[in-house]
């Protein structure tokens, strides 16, 4: 049983560039969550999918952010026109619906915008 | 609104001793779940223990136990016989009461185990 994987682990980009992150959940999990964690804080919810449907987006997810989960498998999170305030750890988690059990987290993608 | 509060930014404990990490929560919903996660410097959030609001007994998982005091709205994590590998950030979280089941995290406590 492989865990949740994320790619890349680290990304350094210049302000204004677009970046895309990938998350591969545990294979039988149909719920997938994205969180953002800034330095010294706990993770904050961004969005989640039930299979391929994106069911909720946080107000933290501005128009520059978009997430997809084609075919209910892996998910991508894209940030367009990155800003320095986007620098954070982006965590992906998956769980079995209806979410009775715990969420299993990936190792995260650390984004640095210079 | 739901909220998790962790008032200890950092804690020290001597190896082999027990330590308690504090967590208080706020919710108006009678049904909720409480979690503790460990985050080592590598960044991955590792699930430690879960307590449901209707569970009669305090949860235990190996060296981890959750001191659940419903009336006080507290869910403290107790780590017994601390090990050097326990040095990490620890986050208390509450599962949202809407259908998303998203987690709401506290700000965390950094635990340092001294040899």
């Amino acid at each position: 049983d492989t865990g949740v994987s994320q790619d890349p682990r680290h990304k350094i980009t210049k302000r204004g560039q677009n970046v895309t992150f990938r998350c591969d959940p545990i294979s039988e999990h149909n719920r997938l969550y994205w969180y953002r964690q800034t330095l010294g804080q706990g993770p904050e919810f961004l969005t989640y999918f039930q299979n391929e449907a994106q069911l909720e987006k946080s107000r933290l997810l501005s128009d520059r952010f978009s997430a997809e989960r084609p075919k209910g498998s892996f998910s991508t999170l894209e940030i367009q026109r990155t800003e320095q305030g986007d620098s954070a750890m982006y965590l992906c988690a998956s769980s079995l619906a209806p979410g009775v059990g715990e969420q299993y987290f990936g190792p995260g993608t650390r984004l640095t915008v210079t | 609104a739901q909220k998790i509060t962790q008032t200890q930014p950092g804690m020290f404990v001597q190896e082999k001793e027990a330590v308690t990490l504090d967590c208080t929560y706020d919710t108006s919903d009678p049904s909720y779940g409480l979690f503790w996660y460990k985050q080592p410097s590598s960044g991955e959030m590792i699930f430690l223990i879960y307590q449901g609001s209707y569970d009669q007994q305090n949860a235990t998982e190996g060296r981890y136990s959750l001191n659940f005091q419903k009336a006080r709205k507290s869910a403290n994590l107790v780590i017994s016989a601390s090990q050097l590998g326990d040095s990490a950030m620890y986050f208390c979280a509450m599962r949202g009461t809407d259908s998303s089941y998203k987690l709401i995290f506290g700000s965390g406590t950094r635990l340092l185990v001294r040899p």
Side-chain angles (χ1 to χ4, degrees), chain B residues 17-62:
Chain B
E17 292 185 349
V19 63
T20 298
L21 306 183
D22 294 342
C23 172
T24 58
Y25 60 91
D26 190 22
T27 181
S28 57
D29 199 300
S31 176
Y32 50 89
L34 296 159
F35 299 79
W36 278 92
Y37 282 85
K38 173 184 177 181
Q39 188 177 43
S41 56
S42 58
E44 185 173 353
M45 301 286 283
I46 302 168
F47 166 74
L48 296 178
I49 197 165
Y50 166 78
Q51 179 84 43
S53 58
Y54 293 119
D55 293 343
Q56 295 296 313
Q57 306 231 350
N58 286 346
T60 59
E61 290 285 349

mmCIF file of all heavy atoms in Angstrom, chain B residues 17-62:
data_model
loop_
_atom_site.group_PDB
_atom_site.id
_atom_site.type_symbol
_atom_site.label_atom_id
_atom_site.label_comp_id
_atom_site.label_asym_id
_atom_site.label_seq_id
_atom_site.Cartn_x
_atom_site.Cartn_y
_atom_site.Cartn_z
ATOM 1 N N GLU B 17 10.627 10.658 29.720
ATOM 2 C CA GLU B 17 9.563 11.218 30.550
ATOM 3 C C GLU B 17 8.296 11.393 29.713
ATOM 4 O O GLU B 17 8.321 11.355 28.485
ATOM 5 C CB GLU B 17 10.001 12.549 31.145
ATOM 6 C CG GLU B 17 11.111 12.406 32.170
ATOM 7 C CD GLU B 17 11.458 13.712 32.851
ATOM 8 O OE1 GLU B 17 10.979 14.765 32.393
ATOM 9 O OE2 GLU B 17 12.208 13.674 33.836
ATOM 10 N N ALA B 18 7.186 11.629 30.399
ATOM 11 C CA ALA B 18 5.918 11.879 29.717
ATOM 12 C C ALA B 18 5.718 13.379 29.514
ATOM 13 O O ALA B 18 6.255 14.202 30.268
ATOM 14 C CB ALA B 18 4.761 11.307 30.528
ATOM 15 N N VAL B 19 4.947 13.722 28.495
ATOM 16 C CA VAL B 19 4.670 15.135 28.213
ATOM 17 C C VAL B 19 3.230 15.270 27.739
ATOM 18 O O VAL B 19 2.688 14.362 27.087
ATOM 19 C CB VAL B 19 5.648 15.679 27.149
ATOM 20 C CG1 VAL B 19 5.500 14.964 25.807
ATOM 21 C CG2 VAL B 19 5.494 17.190 26.969
ATOM 22 N N THR B 20 2.604 16.384 28.112
ATOM 23 C CA THR B 20 1.231 16.673 27.691
ATOM 24 C C THR B 20 1.206 17.915 26.822
ATOM 25 O O THR B 20 1.725 18.968 27.211
ATOM 26 C CB THR B 20 0.324 16.901 28.917
ATOM 27 O OG1 THR B 20 0.286 15.709 29.699
ATOM 28 C CG2 THR B 20 -1.095 17.246 28.479
ATOM 29 N N LEU B 21 0.621 17.786 25.653
ATOM 30 C CA LEU B 21 0.450 18.900 24.727
ATOM 31 C C LEU B 21 -1.019 19.320 24.765
ATOM 32 O O LEU B 21 -1.907 18.489 24.577
ATOM 33 C CB LEU B 21 0.869 18.502 23.311
ATOM 34 C CG LEU B 21 2.277 17.915 23.168
ATOM 35 C CD1 LEU B 21 2.584 17.639 21.699
ATOM 36 C CD2 LEU B 21 3.321 18.813 23.777
ATOM 37 N N ASP B 22 -1.240 20.614 24.989
ATOM 38 C CA ASP B 22 -2.598 21.091 25.205
ATOM 39 C C ASP B 22 -3.327 21.427 23.897
ATOM 40 O O ASP B 22 -2.720 21.906 22.931
ATOM 41 C CB ASP B 22 -2.577 22.357 26.072
ATOM 42 C CG ASP B 22 -2.075 22.084 27.482
ATOM 43 O OD1 ASP B 22 -2.079 20.903 27.899
ATOM 44 O OD2 ASP B 22 -1.683 23.042 28.166
ATOM 45 N N CYS B 23 -4.627 21.200 23.918
ATOM 46 C CA CYS B 23 -5.480 21.547 22.784
ATOM 47 C C CYS B 23 -6.874 21.841 23.313
ATOM 48 O O CYS B 23 -7.452 21.022 24.038
ATOM 49 C CB CYS B 23 -5.544 20.398 21.786
ATOM 50 S SG CYS B 23 -6.756 20.630 20.453
ATOM 51 N N THR B 24 -7.403 22.994 22.994
ATOM 52 C CA THR B 24 -8.809 23.283 23.275
ATOM 53 C C THR B 24 -9.513 23.572 21.959
ATOM 54 O O THR B 24 -8.890 23.986 20.975
ATOM 55 C CB THR B 24 -8.984 24.474 24.223
ATOM 56 O OG1 THR B 24 -8.354 25.630 23.653
ATOM 57 C CG2 THR B 24 -8.374 24.178 25.581
ATOM 58 N N TYR B 25 -10.806 23.313 21.944
ATOM 59 C CA TYR B 25 -11.547 23.461 20.698
ATOM 60 C C TYR B 25 -12.863 24.177 20.967
ATOM 61 O O TYR B 25 -13.330 24.256 22.118
ATOM 62 C CB TYR B 25 -11.784 22.093 20.050
ATOM 63 C CG TYR B 25 -12.578 21.136 20.907
ATOM 64 C CD1 TYR B 25 -13.964 21.064 20.809
ATOM 65 C CD2 TYR B 25 -11.932 20.295 21.817
ATOM 66 C CE1 TYR B 25 -14.687 20.192 21.608
ATOM 67 C CE2 TYR B 25 -12.649 19.427 22.608
ATOM 68 C CZ TYR B 25 -14.011 19.378 22.501
ATOM 69 O OH TYR B 25 -14.733 18.507 23.290
ATOM 70 N N ASP B 26 -13.430 24.666 19.910
ATOM 71 C CA ASP B 26 -14.708 25.343 20.006
ATOM 72 C C ASP B 26 -15.591 24.905 18.853
ATOM 73 O O ASP B 26 -15.186 25.001 17.688
ATOM 74 C CB ASP B 26 -14.523 26.868 19.974
ATOM 75 C CG ASP B 26 -15.803 27.608 20.314
ATOM 76 O OD1 ASP B 26 -16.677 26.996 20.960
ATOM 77 O OD2 ASP B 26 -15.925 28.777 19.933
ATOM 78 N N THR B 27 -16.759 24.413 19.178
ATOM 79 C CA THR B 27 -17.740 24.040 18.175
ATOM 80 C C THR B 27 -19.104 24.000 18.822
ATOM 81 O O THR B 27 -19.212 23.741 20.023
ATOM 82 C CB THR B 27 -17.420 22.675 17.548
ATOM 83 O OG1 THR B 27 -18.408 22.362 16.559
ATOM 84 C CG2 THR B 27 -17.402 21.563 18.588
ATOM 85 N N SER B 28 -20.118 24.254 18.045
ATOM 86 C CA SER B 28 -21.489 24.172 18.551
ATOM 87 C C SER B 28 -22.161 22.884 18.100
ATOM 88 O O SER B 28 -23.300 22.615 18.478
ATOM 89 C CB SER B 28 -22.293 25.380 18.074
ATOM 90 O OG SER B 28 -22.267 25.466 16.672
ATOM 91 N N ASP B 29 -21.461 22.102 17.306
ATOM 92 C CA ASP B 29 -22.035 20.860 16.793
ATOM 93 C C ASP B 29 -21.800 19.736 17.806
ATOM 94 O O ASP B 29 -20.688 19.620 18.340
ATOM 95 C CB ASP B 29 -21.379 20.491 15.468
ATOM 96 C CG ASP B 29 -22.203 19.511 14.670
ATOM 97 O OD1 ASP B 29 -22.460 18.402 15.181
ATOM 98 O OD2 ASP B 29 -22.592 19.855 13.540
ATOM 99 N N PRO B 30 -22.809 18.904 18.078
ATOM 100 C CA PRO B 30 -22.619 17.819 19.056
ATOM 101 C C PRO B 30 -21.778 16.665 18.515
ATOM 102 O O PRO B 30 -21.244 15.869 19.280
ATOM 103 C CB PRO B 30 -24.045 17.357 19.357
ATOM 104 C CG PRO B 30 -24.825 17.735 18.128
ATOM 105 C CD PRO B 30 -24.201 18.988 17.603
ATOM 106 N N SER B 31 -21.645 16.579 17.188
ATOM 107 C CA SER B 31 -20.891 15.491 16.576
ATOM 108 C C SER B 31 -19.642 16.050 15.903
ATOM 109 O O SER B 31 -19.737 16.877 14.995
ATOM 110 C CB SER B 31 -21.764 14.766 15.549
ATOM 111 O OG SER B 31 -21.022 13.767 14.885
ATOM 112 N N TYR B 32 -18.490 15.595 16.354
ATOM 113 C CA TYR B 32 -17.240 16.087 15.778
ATOM 114 C C TYR B 32 -16.144 15.064 16.041
ATOM 115 O O TYR B 32 -16.314 14.131 16.841
ATOM 116 C CB TYR B 32 -16.847 17.458 16.351
ATOM 117 C CG TYR B 32 -16.870 17.530 17.864
ATOM 118 C CD1 TYR B 32 -15.748 17.199 18.618
ATOM 119 C CD2 TYR B 32 -18.025 17.923 18.540
ATOM 120 C CE1 TYR B 32 -15.780 17.254 19.990
ATOM 121 C CE2 TYR B 32 -18.058 17.979 19.920
ATOM 122 C CZ TYR B 32 -16.931 17.651 20.652
ATOM 123 O OH TYR B 32 -16.963 17.692 22.018
ATOM 124 N N GLY B 33 -15.040 15.241 15.363
ATOM 125 C CA GLY B 33 -13.886 14.370 15.562
ATOM 126 C C GLY B 33 -12.651 15.197 15.823
ATOM 127 O O GLY B 33 -12.483 16.274 15.248
ATOM 128 N N LEU B 34 -11.799 14.686 16.665
ATOM 129 C CA LEU B 34 -10.561 15.381 17.011
ATOM 130 C C LEU B 34 -9.365 14.504 16.664
ATOM 131 O O LEU B 34 -9.387 13.291 16.907
ATOM 132 C CB LEU B 34 -10.545 15.728 18.500
ATOM 133 C CG LEU B 34 -11.636 16.710 18.924
ATOM 134 C CD1 LEU B 34 -11.893 16.627 20.410
ATOM 135 C CD2 LEU B 34 -11.269 18.124 18.515
ATOM 136 N N PHE B 35 -8.346 15.106 16.096
ATOM 137 C CA PHE B 35 -7.171 14.387 15.622
ATOM 138 C C PHE B 35 -5.901 15.051 16.159
ATOM 139 O O PHE B 35 -5.868 16.258 16.407
ATOM 140 C CB PHE B 35 -7.091 14.432 14.084
ATOM 141 C CG PHE B 35 -8.246 13.803 13.367
ATOM 142 C CD1 PHE B 35 -9.456 14.479 13.236
ATOM 143 C CD2 PHE B 35 -8.131 12.547 12.803
ATOM 144 C CE1 PHE B 35 -10.527 13.905 12.561
ATOM 145 C CE2 PHE B 35 -9.198 11.970 12.125
ATOM 146 C CZ PHE B 35 -10.387 12.651 12.002
ATOM 147 N N TRP B 36 -4.873 14.254 16.286
ATOM 148 C CA TRP B 36 -3.527 14.766 16.483
ATOM 149 C C TRP B 36 -2.641 14.234 15.359
ATOM 150 O O TRP B 36 -2.686 13.040 15.027
ATOM 151 C CB TRP B 36 -2.955 14.334 17.836
ATOM 152 C CG TRP B 36 -3.401 15.198 18.974
ATOM 153 C CD1 TRP B 36 -4.477 15.021 19.785
ATOM 154 C CD2 TRP B 36 -2.742 16.395 19.432
ATOM 155 N NE1 TRP B 36 -4.547 16.027 20.719
ATOM 156 C CE2 TRP B 36 -3.492 16.884 20.531
ATOM 157 C CE3 TRP B 36 -1.597 17.096 19.040
ATOM 158 C CZ2 TRP B 36 -3.136 18.040 21.229
ATOM 159 C CZ3 TRP B 36 -1.244 18.237 19.725
ATOM 160 C CH2 TRP B 36 -2.005 18.700 20.806
ATOM 161 N N TYR B 37 -1.850 15.169 14.803
ATOM 162 C CA TYR B 37 -0.890 14.829 13.767
ATOM 163 C C TYR B 37 0.493 15.286 14.205
ATOM 164 O O TYR B 37 0.639 16.309 14.892
ATOM 165 C CB TYR B 37 -1.227 15.529 12.442
ATOM 166 C CG TYR B 37 -2.345 14.892 11.647
ATOM 167 C CD1 TYR B 37 -3.675 15.209 11.912
ATOM 168 C CD2 TYR B 37 -2.075 13.990 10.624
ATOM 169 C CE1 TYR B 37 -4.705 14.636 11.167
ATOM 170 C CE2 TYR B 37 -3.095 13.414 9.880
ATOM 171 C CZ TYR B 37 -4.399 13.746 10.157
ATOM 172 O OH TYR B 37 -5.418 13.169 9.428
ATOM 173 N N LYS B 38 1.502 14.540 13.761
ATOM 174 C CA LYS B 38 2.906 14.881 14.008
ATOM 175 C C LYS B 38 3.519 15.314 12.683
ATOM 176 O O LYS B 38 3.288 14.671 11.656
ATOM 177 C CB LYS B 38 3.637 13.643 14.548
ATOM 178 C CG LYS B 38 5.142 13.780 14.692
ATOM 179 C CD LYS B 38 5.735 12.447 15.134
ATOM 180 C CE LYS B 38 7.255 12.501 15.238
ATOM 181 N NZ LYS B 38 7.817 11.178 15.648
ATOM 182 N N GLN B 39 4.281 16.389 12.711
ATOM 183 C CA GLN B 39 4.944 16.857 11.498
ATOM 184 C C GLN B 39 6.446 17.000 11.756
ATOM 185 O O GLN B 39 6.904 17.982 12.328
ATOM 186 C CB GLN B 39 4.360 18.181 11.014
ATOM 187 C CG GLN B 39 4.901 18.605 9.646
ATOM 188 C CD GLN B 39 4.263 19.889 9.138
ATOM 189 O OE1 GLN B 39 4.076 20.852 9.889
ATOM 190 N NE2 GLN B 39 3.922 19.931 7.845
ATOM 191 N N PRO B 40 7.221 16.013 11.340
ATOM 192 C CA PRO B 40 8.676 16.136 11.483
ATOM 193 C C PRO B 40 9.204 17.190 10.505
ATOM 194 O O PRO B 40 8.455 17.719 9.687
ATOM 195 C CB PRO B 40 9.199 14.740 11.122
ATOM 196 C CG PRO B 40 8.027 13.919 10.728
ATOM 197 C CD PRO B 40 6.799 14.755 10.732
ATOM 198 N N SER B 41 10.496 17.428 10.579
ATOM 199 C CA SER B 41 11.088 18.463 9.720
ATOM 200 C C SER B 41 10.952 18.124 8.243
ATOM 201 O O SER B 41 11.031 19.021 7.395
ATOM 202 C CB SER B 41 12.560 18.663 10.096
ATOM 203 O OG SER B 41 13.251 17.440 10.015
ATOM 204 N N SER B 42 10.728 16.875 7.909
ATOM 205 C CA SER B 42 10.548 16.488 6.508
ATOM 206 C C SER B 42 9.247 17.037 5.917
ATOM 207 O O SER B 42 9.101 17.117 4.703
ATOM 208 C CB SER B 42 10.563 14.963 6.376
ATOM 209 O OG SER B 42 9.533 14.401 7.175
ATOM 210 N N GLY B 43 8.295 17.399 6.777
ATOM 211 C CA GLY B 43 7.093 18.061 6.295
ATOM 212 C C GLY B 43 5.830 17.227 6.259
ATOM 213 O O GLY B 43 4.740 17.782 6.237
ATOM 214 N N GLU B 44 5.948 15.917 6.220
ATOM 215 C CA GLU B 44 4.755 15.084 6.109
ATOM 216 C C GLU B 44 3.956 15.075 7.409
ATOM 217 O O GLU B 44 4.513 14.984 8.489
ATOM 218 C CB GLU B 44 5.161 13.660 5.751
ATOM 219 C CG GLU B 44 4.007 12.725 5.491
ATOM 220 C CD GLU B 44 4.478 11.380 4.973
ATOM 221 O OE1 GLU B 44 5.681 11.226 4.700
ATOM 222 O OE2 GLU B 44 3.633 10.486 4.829
ATOM 223 N N MET B 45 2.656 15.162 7.301
ATOM 224 C CA MET B 45 1.767 15.094 8.468
ATOM 225 C C MET B 45 1.468 13.628 8.750
ATOM 226 O O MET B 45 0.915 12.922 7.911
ATOM 227 C CB MET B 45 0.455 15.833 8.193
ATOM 228 C CG MET B 45 0.621 17.300 7.851
ATOM 229 S SD MET B 45 1.042 18.285 9.269
ATOM 230 C CE MET B 45 -0.534 18.399 10.080
ATOM 231 N N ILE B 46 1.811 13.177 9.944
ATOM 232 C CA ILE B 46 1.633 11.784 10.323
ATOM 233 C C ILE B 46 0.503 11.681 11.342
ATOM 234 O O ILE B 46 0.567 12.294 12.410
ATOM 235 C CB ILE B 46 2.937 11.209 10.927
ATOM 236 C CG1 ILE B 46 4.077 11.339 9.910
ATOM 237 C CG2 ILE B 46 2.744 9.753 11.356
ATOM 238 C CD1 ILE B 46 5.450 11.074 10.502
ATOM 239 N N PHE B 47 -0.526 10.902 11.011
ATOM 240 C CA PHE B 47 -1.661 10.723 11.913
ATOM 241 C C PHE B 47 -1.219 9.961 13.163
ATOM 242 O O PHE B 47 -0.511 8.955 13.089
ATOM 243 C CB PHE B 47 -2.764 9.950 11.202
ATOM 244 C CG PHE B 47 -3.823 9.419 12.121
ATOM 245 C CD1 PHE B 47 -4.768 10.281 12.679
ATOM 246 C CD2 PHE B 47 -3.878 8.072 12.444
ATOM 247 C CE1 PHE B 47 -5.741 9.796 13.526
ATOM 248 C CE2 PHE B 47 -4.852 7.586 13.292
ATOM 249 C CZ PHE B 47 -5.782 8.452 13.832
ATOM 250 N N LEU B 48 -1.641 10.455 14.334
ATOM 251 C CA LEU B 48 -1.288 9.814 15.596
ATOM 252 C C LEU B 48 -2.479 9.155 16.279
ATOM 253 O O LEU B 48 -2.418 7.991 16.677
ATOM 254 C CB LEU B 48 -0.673 10.834 16.563
ATOM 255 C CG LEU B 48 0.648 11.475 16.170
ATOM 256 C CD1 LEU B 48 1.073 12.485 17.218
ATOM 257 C CD2 LEU B 48 1.720 10.424 15.962
ATOM 258 N N ILE B 49 -3.580 9.932 16.427
ATOM 259 C CA ILE B 49 -4.664 9.443 17.261
ATOM 260 C C ILE B 49 -5.938 10.209 16.941
ATOM 261 O O ILE B 49 -5.897 11.372 16.503
ATOM 262 C CB ILE B 49 -4.278 9.585 18.757
ATOM 263 C CG1 ILE B 49 -5.169 8.738 19.657
ATOM 264 C CG2 ILE B 49 -4.247 11.040 19.193
ATOM 265 C CD1 ILE B 49 -4.592 8.576 21.074
ATOM 266 N N TYR B 50 -7.078 9.539 17.154
ATOM 267 C CA TYR B 50 -8.394 10.117 16.850
ATOM 268 C C TYR B 50 -9.339 9.900 18.034
ATOM 269 O O TYR B 50 -9.315 8.850 18.689
ATOM 270 C CB TYR B 50 -8.981 9.446 15.608
ATOM 271 C CG TYR B 50 -10.453 9.724 15.398
ATOM 272 C CD1 TYR B 50 -10.871 10.930 14.860
ATOM 273 C CD2 TYR B 50 -11.423 8.781 15.754
ATOM 274 C CE1 TYR B 50 -12.221 11.201 14.679
ATOM 275 C CE2 TYR B 50 -12.768 9.052 15.579
ATOM 276 C CZ TYR B 50 -13.160 10.252 15.037
ATOM 277 O OH TYR B 50 -14.499 10.520 14.859
ATOM 278 N N GLN B 51 -10.168 10.920 18.287
ATOM 279 C CA GLN B 51 -11.209 10.825 19.326
ATOM 280 C C GLN B 51 -12.512 11.334 18.756
ATOM 281 O O GLN B 51 -12.586 12.478 18.265
ATOM 282 C CB GLN B 51 -10.823 11.673 20.546
ATOM 283 C CG GLN B 51 -11.822 11.667 21.678
ATOM 284 C CD GLN B 51 -11.636 10.477 22.595
ATOM 285 O OE1 GLN B 51 -10.520 10.109 22.952
ATOM 286 N NE2 GLN B 51 -12.724 9.882 23.023
ATOM 287 N N GLY B 52 -13.544 10.534 18.793
ATOM 288 C CA GLY B 52 -14.864 10.975 18.380
ATOM 289 C C GLY B 52 -15.603 11.591 19.547
ATOM 290 O O GLY B 52 -15.406 11.185 20.701
ATOM 291 N N SER B 53 -16.485 12.529 19.252
ATOM 292 C CA SER B 53 -17.148 13.258 20.330
ATOM 293 C C SER B 53 -18.059 12.363 21.162
ATOM 294 O O SER B 53 -18.354 12.676 22.317
ATOM 295 C CB SER B 53 -17.955 14.428 19.765
ATOM 296 O OG SER B 53 -18.921 13.970 18.823
ATOM 297 N N TYR B 54 -18.508 11.253 20.598
ATOM 298 C CA TYR B 54 -19.393 10.355 21.325
ATOM 299 C C TYR B 54 -18.656 9.168 21.947
ATOM 300 O O TYR B 54 -19.273 8.321 22.586
ATOM 301 C CB TYR B 54 -20.498 9.848 20.416
ATOM 302 C CG TYR B 54 -21.465 10.941 19.982
ATOM 303 C CD1 TYR B 54 -21.629 11.266 18.645
ATOM 304 C CD2 TYR B 54 -22.201 11.649 20.914
ATOM 305 C CE1 TYR B 54 -22.500 12.266 18.253
ATOM 306 C CE2 TYR B 54 -23.079 12.650 20.537
ATOM 307 C CZ TYR B 54 -23.229 12.952 19.199
ATOM 308 O OH TYR B 54 -24.094 13.947 18.814
ATOM 309 N N ASP B 55 -17.347 9.122 21.722
ATOM 310 C CA ASP B 55 -16.587 8.001 22.286
ATOM 311 C C ASP B 55 -16.574 8.113 23.809
ATOM 312 O O ASP B 55 -16.273 9.177 24.356
ATOM 313 C CB ASP B 55 -15.149 8.006 21.756
ATOM 314 C CG ASP B 55 -15.081 7.702 20.274
ATOM 315 O OD1 ASP B 55 -16.095 7.172 19.734
ATOM 316 O OD2 ASP B 55 -14.039 7.966 19.659
ATOM 317 N N GLN B 56 -16.867 7.020 24.475
ATOM 318 C CA GLN B 56 -16.947 7.022 25.930
ATOM 319 C C GLN B 56 -15.581 6.955 26.586
ATOM 320 O O GLN B 56 -15.371 7.464 27.692
ATOM 321 C CB GLN B 56 -17.797 5.834 26.404
ATOM 322 C CG GLN B 56 -19.248 5.918 25.975
ATOM 323 C CD GLN B 56 -19.966 7.116 26.594
ATOM 324 O OE1 GLN B 56 -19.859 7.361 27.790
ATOM 325 N NE2 GLN B 56 -20.662 7.877 25.763
ATOM 326 N N GLN B 57 -14.655 6.306 25.895
ATOM 327 C CA GLN B 57 -13.333 6.136 26.483
ATOM 328 C C GLN B 57 -12.330 7.039 25.767
ATOM 329 O O GLN B 57 -12.461 7.330 24.577
ATOM 330 C CB GLN B 57 -12.888 4.675 26.326
ATOM 331 C CG GLN B 57 -13.880 3.683 26.883
ATOM 332 C CD GLN B 57 -13.222 2.712 27.811
ATOM 333 O OE1 GLN B 57 -12.008 2.645 27.904
ATOM 334 N NE2 GLN B 57 -14.018 1.925 28.523
ATOM 335 N N ASN B 58 -11.296 7.437 26.494
ATOM 336 C CA ASN B 58 -10.211 8.184 25.885
ATOM 337 C C ASN B 58 -9.439 7.290 24.928
ATOM 338 O O ASN B 58 -9.172 6.125 25.228
ATOM 339 C CB ASN B 58 -9.262 8.726 26.959
ATOM 340 C CG ASN B 58 -9.866 9.895 27.715
ATOM 341 O OD1 ASN B 58 -10.865 10.473 27.297
ATOM 342 N ND2 ASN B 58 -9.256 10.232 28.835
ATOM 343 N N ALA B 59 -9.072 7.853 23.776
ATOM 344 C CA ALA B 59 -8.348 7.076 22.780
ATOM 345 C C ALA B 59 -6.902 6.839 23.214
ATOM 346 O O ALA B 59 -6.286 7.694 23.861
ATOM 347 C CB ALA B 59 -8.373 7.812 21.445
ATOM 348 N N THR B 60 -6.389 5.670 22.864
ATOM 349 C CA THR B 60 -4.973 5.370 23.096
ATOM 350 C C THR B 60 -4.425 4.658 21.862
ATOM 351 O O THR B 60 -5.114 3.861 21.219
ATOM 352 C CB THR B 60 -4.768 4.461 24.321
ATOM 353 O OG1 THR B 60 -5.486 3.241 24.108
ATOM 354 C CG2 THR B 60 -5.271 5.113 25.592
ATOM 355 N N GLU B 61 -3.165 4.970 21.539
ATOM 356 C CA GLU B 61 -2.454 4.325 20.431
ATOM 357 C C GLU B 61 -0.993 4.211 20.833
ATOM 358 O O GLU B 61 -0.224 5.154 20.711
ATOM 359 C CB GLU B 61 -2.552 5.161 19.137
ATOM 360 C CG GLU B 61 -3.895 5.229 18.480
ATOM 361 C CD GLU B 61 -4.268 3.947 17.734
ATOM 362 O OE1 GLU B 61 -3.382 3.075 17.558
ATOM 363 O OE2 GLU B 61 -5.430 3.813 17.349
ATOM 364 N N GLY B 62 -0.634 3.055 21.361
ATOM 365 C CA GLY B 62 0.749 2.862 21.783
ATOM 366 C C GLY B 62 1.136 3.843 22.876
ATOM 367 O O GLY B 62 0.491 3.909 23.920
#
